[in-house]
Amino acid sequence: MPPARSKTHEARRPAGVKSPAPAAESRAPAVSRAIRILRIVGDSKTPLGVNAIARAVDVVPSSCLHILRALEEEGLLLCDPEKRYTLGLGLVSLARTALSSAPQAPMLPKELDHLARISGATAIAAQLVPRDRMVIVAVSHGSGTFGVHFDIGRRFPSYVSATGRCVAAYSGLGRAALKRKFDALVWDNPPRFTDWLNQVEFARREGVGLDQGNYVRGYLILAAPVFQGGTMVQTLSIVAANGQVASDRLETLKEELRNTAARLSH
């Protein structure tokens, strides 16, 4: 699922650089700034110089440069001959370690392949991360004519799409808080809030979230939650073009999705 557009302000930000999300005051400001720098560089479509990054993080260039050099030494950033920065491959190693250490990691490829095979569509696994985001951690493609491409590592808002119905269902949030989450989302075909709440309740009751062309027009998306220690940590999804899944197969796919998510839960 391609991530929805952010509604953050872009004032004083370099072209192509998103404003970092506001955060509570940190007890380790240098660490917080380093993380914000990694996010800013990662979100940029082009390499960024020190001044552009310093403006985006709102620190003086000399302080920014110290952080950039430390990140470069650890392999988390790369600096080109023109002194512009991009993400380094050190992040790949960290991400690989994080993915492989998850309890469900050994089973995940096989289970996604199963979902893709029986649906003929694309199956994805997405991990819940801070700041109301999901990150795609695994993808398997079915044999259907209409394939959907997803990049591993891509982020999208956690309350949107079928995954969002699952997240909301197990969030423990009340109506007012869910309304604030809902109002911040961007959809191709926005549902009404009351309809969305009913769909959230359906996800809680049935164990499967359903998005029929709201997030991306022309696509049916099913999602089921994966739990770890009683807490929802991940979702499994099937993404299919309209008409790719026969209506008489929908209930079977829901059941398969529920069962697969249950096998991956601990």
Side-chain angles (χ1 to χ4, degrees), residues 9-25:
H9 297 290
E10 300 295 334
R12 298 180 59 220
R13 306 291 170 186
V17 179
K18 297 178 182 177
S19 305
E25 184 176 351

PDB file of all heavy atoms in Angstrom, residues 9-25:
ATOM      1  N   HIS A   9       3.444  20.487   7.728  1.00  0.00           N
ATOM      2  CA  HIS A   9       3.789  21.715   7.017  1.00  0.00           C
ATOM      3  C   HIS A   9       5.179  21.604   6.410  1.00  0.00           C
ATOM      4  O   HIS A   9       6.060  20.968   6.937  1.00  0.00           O
ATOM      5  CB  HIS A   9       3.736  22.897   7.985  1.00  0.00           C
ATOM      6  CG  HIS A   9       2.366  23.141   8.536  1.00  0.00           C
ATOM      7  ND1 HIS A   9       1.333  23.615   7.779  1.00  0.00           N
ATOM      8  CD2 HIS A   9       1.863  22.927   9.774  1.00  0.00           C
ATOM      9  CE1 HIS A   9       0.247  23.715   8.530  1.00  0.00           C
ATOM     10  NE2 HIS A   9       0.549  23.294   9.744  1.00  0.00           N
ATOM     11  N   GLU A  10       5.382  22.268   5.296  1.00  0.00           N
ATOM     12  CA  GLU A  10       6.651  22.205   4.594  1.00  0.00           C
ATOM     13  C   GLU A  10       7.414  23.529   4.624  1.00  0.00           C
ATOM     14  O   GLU A  10       8.379  23.708   3.918  1.00  0.00           O
ATOM     15  CB  GLU A  10       6.406  21.796   3.129  1.00  0.00           C
ATOM     16  CG  GLU A  10       5.735  20.446   2.967  1.00  0.00           C
ATOM     17  CD  GLU A  10       6.604  19.308   3.467  1.00  0.00           C
ATOM     18  OE1 GLU A  10       7.843  19.467   3.466  1.00  0.00           O
ATOM     19  OE2 GLU A  10       6.066  18.283   3.878  1.00  0.00           O
ATOM     20  N   ALA A  11       6.948  24.480   5.422  1.00  0.00           N
ATOM     21  CA  ALA A  11       7.599  25.791   5.447  1.00  0.00           C
ATOM     22  C   ALA A  11       9.060  25.666   5.847  1.00  0.00           C
ATOM     23  O   ALA A  11       9.407  24.951   6.754  1.00  0.00           O
ATOM     24  CB  ALA A  11       6.870  26.696   6.449  1.00  0.00           C
ATOM     25  N   ARG A  12       9.899  26.359   5.134  1.00  0.00           N
ATOM     26  CA  ARG A  12      11.331  26.443   5.382  1.00  0.00           C
ATOM     27  C   ARG A  12      12.047  25.120   5.198  1.00  0.00           C
ATOM     28  O   ARG A  12      13.182  24.956   5.619  1.00  0.00           O
ATOM     29  CB  ARG A  12      11.612  26.982   6.804  1.00  0.00           C
ATOM     30  CG  ARG A  12      11.098  28.366   7.070  1.00  0.00           C
ATOM     31  CD  ARG A  12      11.423  28.812   8.470  1.00  0.00           C
ATOM     32  NE  ARG A  12      12.870  28.792   8.680  1.00  0.00           N
ATOM     33  CZ  ARG A  12      13.438  28.372   9.802  1.00  0.00           C
ATOM     34  NH1 ARG A  12      12.711  27.907  10.789  1.00  0.00           N
ATOM     35  NH2 ARG A  12      14.761  28.400   9.925  1.00  0.00           N
ATOM     36  N   ARG A  13      11.424  24.140   4.596  1.00  0.00           N
ATOM     37  CA  ARG A  13      12.082  22.871   4.374  1.00  0.00           C
ATOM     38  C   ARG A  13      12.638  22.823   2.965  1.00  0.00           C
ATOM     39  O   ARG A  13      12.027  23.342   2.025  1.00  0.00           O
ATOM     40  CB  ARG A  13      11.103  21.694   4.548  1.00  0.00           C
ATOM     41  CG  ARG A  13      10.394  21.724   5.900  1.00  0.00           C
ATOM     42  CD  ARG A  13      11.341  21.440   7.042  1.00  0.00           C
ATOM     43  NE  ARG A  13      10.706  21.707   8.319  1.00  0.00           N
ATOM     44  CZ  ARG A  13      11.322  21.651   9.485  1.00  0.00           C
ATOM     45  NH1 ARG A  13      12.600  21.362   9.533  1.00  0.00           N
ATOM     46  NH2 ARG A  13      10.676  21.902  10.594  1.00  0.00           N
ATOM     47  N   PRO A  14      13.808  22.183   2.761  1.00  0.00           N
ATOM     48  CA  PRO A  14      14.328  22.043   1.411  1.00  0.00           C
ATOM     49  C   PRO A  14      13.383  21.224   0.550  1.00  0.00           C
ATOM     50  O   PRO A  14      12.630  20.391   1.056  1.00  0.00           O
ATOM     51  CB  PRO A  14      15.653  21.297   1.612  1.00  0.00           C
ATOM     52  CG  PRO A  14      15.863  21.166   3.069  1.00  0.00           C
ATOM     53  CD  PRO A  14      14.624  21.581   3.774  1.00  0.00           C
ATOM     54  N   ALA A  15      13.429  21.449  -0.758  1.00  0.00           N
ATOM     55  CA  ALA A  15      12.555  20.720  -1.671  1.00  0.00           C
ATOM     56  C   ALA A  15      12.771  19.227  -1.509  1.00  0.00           C
ATOM     57  O   ALA A  15      13.891  18.742  -1.486  1.00  0.00           O
ATOM     58  CB  ALA A  15      12.847  21.133  -3.114  1.00  0.00           C
ATOM     59  N   GLY A  16      11.663  18.494  -1.418  1.00  0.00           N
ATOM     60  CA  GLY A  16      11.734  17.040  -1.327  1.00  0.00           C
ATOM     61  C   GLY A  16      11.959  16.514   0.071  1.00  0.00           C
ATOM     62  O   GLY A  16      12.019  15.306   0.271  1.00  0.00           O
ATOM     63  N   VAL A  17      12.079  17.394   1.071  1.00  0.00           N
ATOM     64  CA  VAL A  17      12.329  16.967   2.436  1.00  0.00           C
ATOM     65  C   VAL A  17      11.093  17.216   3.275  1.00  0.00           C
ATOM     66  O   VAL A  17      10.587  18.328   3.339  1.00  0.00           O
ATOM     67  CB  VAL A  17      13.524  17.726   3.056  1.00  0.00           C
ATOM     68  CG1 VAL A  17      13.755  17.267   4.491  1.00  0.00           C
ATOM     69  CG2 VAL A  17      14.767  17.510   2.228  1.00  0.00           C
ATOM     70  N   LYS A  18      10.607  16.171   3.946  1.00  0.00           N
ATOM     71  CA  LYS A  18       9.440  16.304   4.805  1.00  0.00           C
ATOM     72  C   LYS A  18       9.863  16.787   6.183  1.00  0.00           C
ATOM     73  O   LYS A  18      10.942  16.472   6.665  1.00  0.00           O
ATOM     74  CB  LYS A  18       8.740  14.949   4.954  1.00  0.00           C
ATOM     75  CG  LYS A  18       8.204  14.395   3.649  1.00  0.00           C
ATOM     76  CD  LYS A  18       7.580  13.045   3.906  1.00  0.00           C
ATOM     77  CE  LYS A  18       7.075  12.417   2.611  1.00  0.00           C
ATOM     78  NZ  LYS A  18       6.526  11.086   2.823  1.00  0.00           N
ATOM     79  N   SER A  19       8.982  17.527   6.827  1.00  0.00           N
ATOM     80  CA  SER A  19       9.246  17.933   8.197  1.00  0.00           C
ATOM     81  C   SER A  19       9.170  16.717   9.093  1.00  0.00           C
ATOM     82  O   SER A  19       8.276  15.892   8.941  1.00  0.00           O
ATOM     83  CB  SER A  19       8.184  18.939   8.661  1.00  0.00           C
ATOM     84  OG  SER A  19       8.122  20.019   7.782  1.00  0.00           O
ATOM     85  N   PRO A  20      10.107  16.580  10.049  1.00  0.00           N
ATOM     86  CA  PRO A  20       9.996  15.476  10.987  1.00  0.00           C
ATOM     87  C   PRO A  20       8.780  15.654  11.861  1.00  0.00           C
ATOM     88  O   PRO A  20       8.388  16.778  12.189  1.00  0.00           O
ATOM     89  CB  PRO A  20      11.291  15.570  11.799  1.00  0.00           C
ATOM     90  CG  PRO A  20      11.747  16.986  11.641  1.00  0.00           C
ATOM     91  CD  PRO A  20      11.260  17.437  10.294  1.00  0.00           C
ATOM     92  N   ALA A  21       8.165  14.549  12.250  1.00  0.00           N
ATOM     93  CA  ALA A  21       6.986  14.619  13.092  1.00  0.00           C
ATOM     94  C   ALA A  21       7.355  15.209  14.452  1.00  0.00           C
ATOM     95  O   ALA A  21       8.427  14.946  14.979  1.00  0.00           O
ATOM     96  CB  ALA A  21       6.390  13.216  13.278  1.00  0.00           C
ATOM     97  N   PRO A  22       6.481  16.018  15.039  1.00  0.00           N
ATOM     98  CA  PRO A  22       6.782  16.582  16.347  1.00  0.00           C
ATOM     99  C   PRO A  22       6.896  15.489  17.378  1.00  0.00           C
ATOM    100  O   PRO A  22       6.176  14.500  17.343  1.00  0.00           O
ATOM    101  CB  PRO A  22       5.579  17.484  16.627  1.00  0.00           C
ATOM    102  CG  PRO A  22       4.496  16.982  15.751  1.00  0.00           C
ATOM    103  CD  PRO A  22       5.166  16.430  14.542  1.00  0.00           C
ATOM    104  N   ALA A  23       7.824  15.637  18.310  1.00  0.00           N
ATOM    105  CA  ALA A  23       8.032  14.632  19.340  1.00  0.00           C
ATOM    106  C   ALA A  23       8.150  15.311  20.690  1.00  0.00           C
ATOM    107  O   ALA A  23       8.432  16.502  20.808  1.00  0.00           O
ATOM    108  CB  ALA A  23       9.302  13.829  19.036  1.00  0.00           C
ATOM    109  N   ALA A  24       7.934  14.520  21.733  1.00  0.00           N
ATOM    110  CA  ALA A  24       8.108  15.027  23.078  1.00  0.00           C
ATOM    111  C   ALA A  24       9.585  15.351  23.305  1.00  0.00           C
ATOM    112  O   ALA A  24      10.466  14.792  22.666  1.00  0.00           O
ATOM    113  CB  ALA A  24       7.633  13.980  24.080  1.00  0.00           C
ATOM    114  N   GLU A  25       9.841  16.282  24.236  1.00  0.00           N
ATOM    115  CA  GLU A  25      11.212  16.669  24.518  1.00  0.00           C
ATOM    116  C   GLU A  25      12.010  15.443  24.948  1.00  0.00           C
ATOM    117  O   GLU A  25      11.601  14.678  25.814  1.00  0.00           O
ATOM    118  CB  GLU A  25      11.231  17.727  25.610  1.00  0.00           C
ATOM    119  CG  GLU A  25      12.621  18.273  25.904  1.00  0.00           C
ATOM    120  CD  GLU A  25      12.594  19.383  26.923  1.00  0.00           C
ATOM    121  OE1 GLU A  25      11.478  19.834  27.254  1.00  0.00           O
ATOM    122  OE2 GLU A  25      13.667  19.775  27.383  1.00  0.00           O
TER     123      GLU A  25
END
